[in-house]
Amino acid sequence: MKISRKAALSTLTGALVSIPFMGFSRTKKELQTFKQEFGAAWKRSQDYTLTVFNQMPEEHLDFKYTPESMSFRTQFVHCITFTAMQLAGRLEIPNPYETKKDWAKLTKAQLSDELKGFYAWVEKVAEGVSPERLAKEEGFAGGKIQVWQFFYAMENHIIHHRGQAICYVRLKGITPEGYVGW
């Protein structure tokens, strides 16, 4: 059987992202703590994402290590647009990035502001979801997970692209700042 690179990566990514979440569900009462837990993790994610992003000089935002790879800029734009699309679609809420098309024209400072706005939007979305909705199961990567787990799956996706961006920083001869944990 022959499988395309894109299909293989999609399947692998979905499987890896879902492994920690399969079979782990919470009751509505337990979901009261989700917003606090996620809020703390999401804040750390924002801090480290901005740390990594800000290490690349502006003149290298469009750096690609191969012609078919995402640029450094696109790693972060993809995190914003993919996460927003997934959350908006699953939660049936407006996607604030649905019509945005001028990502390549943004300066480093403007893209940094977009990242901050994105993190604030996801935090607001997470805070606004009812415990009943957080407990609802949704299809994901060939299985089912509760909606609260999907927020962590999206964070896992961001971690993946942030790791790729760290490689880009290294390829430009910059020693990345280390991760400091929670």
Side-chain angles (χ1 to χ4, degrees):
M1 179 171 102
K2 193 170 187 175
I3 187 168
S4 71
R5 180 176 184 244
K6 183 177 180 180
L9 288 173
S10 176
T11 301
L12 181 60
T13 301
L16 290 175
V17 166
S18 66
I19 287 170
F21 304 116
M22 295 301 188
F24 184 69
S25 62
R26 290 184 175 179
T27 65
K28 289 177 186 173
K29 184 176 181 180
E30 291 171 323
L31 285 168
Q32 299 300 329
T33 61
F34 162 76
K35 294 174 185 184
Q36 293 170 330
E37 292 170 354
F38 181 75
W42 195 243
K43 172 71 172 114
R44 294 299 298 157
S45 177
Q46 175 182 334
D47 292 347
Y48 193 51
T49 295
L50 290 170
T51 296
V52 171
F53 176 77
N54 286 320
Q55 290 176 86
M56 184 66 87
E58 185 157 11
E59 63 269 17
H60 298 305
L61 285 184
D62 295 312
F63 169 69
K64 295 178 171 190
Y65 65 94
T66 64
E68 68 276 1
S69 65
M70 287 185 183
S71 69
F72 182 83
R73 172 195 309 270
T74 306
Q75 295 288 342
F76 296 97
V77 170
H78 171 72
C79 289
I80 293 169
T81 58
F82 181 80
T83 302
M85 177 187 67
Q86 290 292 319
L87 289 175
R90 289 176 185 274
L91 298 173
E92 300 173 358
I93 59 174
N95 178 347
Y97 301 99
E98 188 171 25
T99 60
K100 186 161 182 63
K101 305 277 188 227
D102 58 350
W103 295 102
K105 296 178 183 177
L106 297 179
T107 65
K108 183 176 178 179
Q110 290 168 326
L111 187 49
S112 179
D113 287 343
E114 289 286 350
L115 283 164
K116 291 172 192 170
F118 159 73
Y119 271 92
W121 178 77
V122 172
E123 183 177 14
K124 183 179 177 184
V125 168
E127 288 172 356
V129 179
S130 70
E132 293 78 20
R133 184 69 175 105
L134 288 171
K136 185 179 179 207
E137 286 193 338
E138 295 265 338
F140 181 72
K144 289 196 177 268
I145 61 174
Q146 289 182 309
V147 169
W148 72 268
Q149 294 167 306
F150 189 75
F151 282 90
Y152 286 113
M154 290 296 92
E155 166 56 4
N156 194 321
H157 177 251
I158 291 169
I159 291 167
H160 163 74
H161 286 284
R162 194 170 56 214
Q164 288 182 319
I166 289 170
C167 293
Y168 286 42
V169 169
R170 286 190 182 278
L171 287 169
K172 284 299 180 185
I174 300 164
T175 301
E177 291 184 37
Y179 182 62
V180 294
W182 290 66

